[in-house]
Structures are given as structure tokens and as C-alpha cells.
Amino acid sequence: MSTETYHQNGHQNGIDLSNVYKFSRQVPANPILTTAVSAVVDKAVCLNRRVVVIEQGAQELLTEDSGYVTLFADHESHMDGVTVAESFQPYGPYALLVAADSWDLHNPINSALAHSYNMVPVERKGKQVPENMTIARPDDLLNILNDRINVIFSPAGGRGIGFQFQKGAAYLAAEAEKSVITVGLAGGKDVMPKGSKFPSLGRTISIYIDAISYPDLITHYRGKFKITSLTDFFQDRMKNLHQRAQELIHHDWSDWAKKTGRLIPHFGYERVTHSKGQIYP
């Protein structure tokens, strides 16, 4: 389900989305094309098996009615951002940040996707922004977070977990005084790697979700090089989550299925919670 299906009149559950829409909907989109594009993307996401594991601490934070800085890596697929956004839909509205140099909203397909998935263009250092396109600045993102809207993006400087993370994520999290949701991804490049025009179906994508509460986060935001320190902390933590996500793809779920009476489906997704080494529903 895309965000278009449950956002009405710029609000969701009493949350004002106007600070998102002024960026994601700055270029009008053809409604028929928007419906068609979102349907194709939704099917591409849903017709792959997604295993979503949420640490108990993250589950508790996500039940709070508040905006979060949500970071994901490894970002090796065109589908990664949308896949993460789809998995976070039960936890309220979101803004999915995209690189303005790669997402010219004057392209009809890009505009349709931006309308459907609340894609907000931001500038990447050293990259040219398309003309006549308004990008979100740090203060705009803080306003979105203060509206209790989740801001989702990859802080990596390129596709893949090995790239040095950009410092904007640390700045945004510290300035917003928000908890951070960290997401490890695996399997996306098997579905739709960079350069692909169409996704593959029937593959497995794993998503491992953990959280850093603001009080814990701020302990890494001290000293002369506090931005660098927090950035390095994010990168080390998300490398670990990426490894856990990779392990999920090959995990033997038979014991879990026996205990719960549930199977990991071949299509759609299964959401489980993790606590103290035990996976349970």
C-alpha cells in the first residue's frame, strides 16, 4: 500500500503533512500514472519475501507517537528506500529522502513516485541540483521531524555499506533531539540492483531494525569532534545490523515455525520481534 492510499487532505491521524508535500508534490503528477506506478512498485515489493525483525527496544520506541530519524544501509538497490518505507507504514507517516541529482521531479515517473511515497529531494555534496526544483534544507527536515513524521534515508556516501557515512545524519539526529531507528538491509541487490529497469520477483529481502534512544545517542555526541564521533558510531552499528540482516536470509526458521505455528511466506512479509537472542511473534 502506498502512502497515497491513506493520506487525505494533507493529514494522517491528525498529523499535518504540508511540510512534506511542499517538497514531494512540488511538481504536479498525472493521477492515472501515479496510480499505475505505485501499483507496479507495490507489487514488486510484495511479490518478494520480506523478513522483518524488530529488536524489542525498537518496537517500544516505535509505538510512541513521535517522529524519528530512520537510517538504512546497505543501499545497493533501487528498491531499498521504498522497501524500508513500506515496512514502517504501521508506525505513522514518513518522508523518504532522495538525492535531488538523481530524482529530477520534472520526470513524470519520478514525480508519480514522489507523490506516492512522500519522496523529499535533498542536495548531495558536490552534486548538481536540477533547475526549478526546491530541495529540503536541514531546517526543513527539523520541521518535518517536529511534526511527528519519520524521516527515512541512507547516510552512506554511495551504494554499499563500505562507503563513508555522511555527517548530516548525526547533525540531524542531535539537533532534532530524536531517537534514531537503524535498519540493516540485505537481499535488495538481488531484487533490483543499480542499473536495472525492472525488479526480479520471488527473492528474499531481510530487514533488521534496532533503535538508539536519544539519551544513549547523546553520549556519543561529545567532545571536539562530536559530529564525526556520532557518524562513526552510526556506521559501526549499521555494519553490524547489515551482517545480521544477511544472516536472516539464510536463517533456518523451522524451530520458530514449530513454536509459533507460523511460516515465513514466500510472498509478502513476516514481522517478528527479537529479544535476548530469542525470536518470537
Side-chain angles (χ1 to χ4, degrees), residues 79-258:
M79 296 291 294
D80 285 344
V82 172
T83 301
V84 172
E86 289 267 345
S87 301
F88 275 81
Q89 279 192 2
Y91 304 108
Y94 62 81
L96 177 59
L97 306 192
V98 295
D101 56 282
S102 299
W103 283 87
D104 184 354
L105 298 186
H106 295 281
N107 177 301
I109 299 294
N110 289 350
S111 180
L113 285 167
H115 279 240
S116 294
Y117 296 97
N118 287 352
M119 291 180 172
V120 173
V122 294
E123 184 178 6
R124 287 195 294 183
K125 186 177 180 180
K127 299 292 184 178
Q128 184 68 35
V129 177
E131 294 182 3
N132 302 321
M133 197 164 95
T134 304
I135 62 171
R137 304 292 181 180
D139 285 348
D140 298 313
L141 301 180
L142 290 174
N143 288 335
I144 291 172
L145 284 165
N146 288 331
D147 287 338
R148 296 179 293 150
I149 298 169
N150 300 328
V151 172
I152 302 174
F153 65 104
S154 173
R159 293 187 185 274
I161 196 69
F163 285 89
Q164 181 62 41
F165 278 20
Q166 301 298 306
K167 296 179 181 179
Y171 169 81
L172 186 63
E175 287 295 312
E177 299 185 359
K178 297 285 188 179
S179 298
V180 174
I181 306 298
T182 48
V183 182
L185 284 172
K189 62 183 179 181
D190 295 327
V191 175
M192 194 175 182
K194 184 178 180 181
S196 301
K197 295 186 180 299
F198 300 99
S200 301
L201 304 180
R203 306 298 175 89
T204 298
I205 304 170
S206 62
I207 301 172
Y208 201 106
I209 301 172
D210 202 354
I212 310 165
S213 68
Y214 179 71
D216 289 339
L217 179 148
I218 209 65
T219 62
H220 299 271
Y221 190 68
R222 291 176 178 170
K224 183 178 179 181
F225 303 103
K226 55 187 179 181
I227 289 285
T228 300
S229 175
L230 187 54
T231 300
D232 292 343
F233 170 67
F234 284 157
Q235 182 150 14
D236 289 342
R237 187 183 185 93
M238 293 180 71
K239 281 183 178 179
N240 180 267
L241 291 181
H242 171 63
Q243 180 62 40
R244 294 189 190 184
Q246 286 185 314
E247 292 170 357
L248 287 175
I249 292 181
H250 307 291
H251 183 73
D252 182 359
W253 292 94
S254 56
D255 287 343
W256 183 83
K258 290 177 183 178

Side-chain angles (χ1 to χ4, degrees), residues 49-53 253 256 260 262-265 267-272 281:
R49 175 164 56 180
R50 281 181 293 157
V51 179
V52 182
V53 170
W253 292 94
W256 183 83
T260 64
R262 292 156 57 183
L263 297 174
I264 301 295
F267 304 113
Y269 74 89
E270 184 69 30
R271 186 186 306 274
V272 297

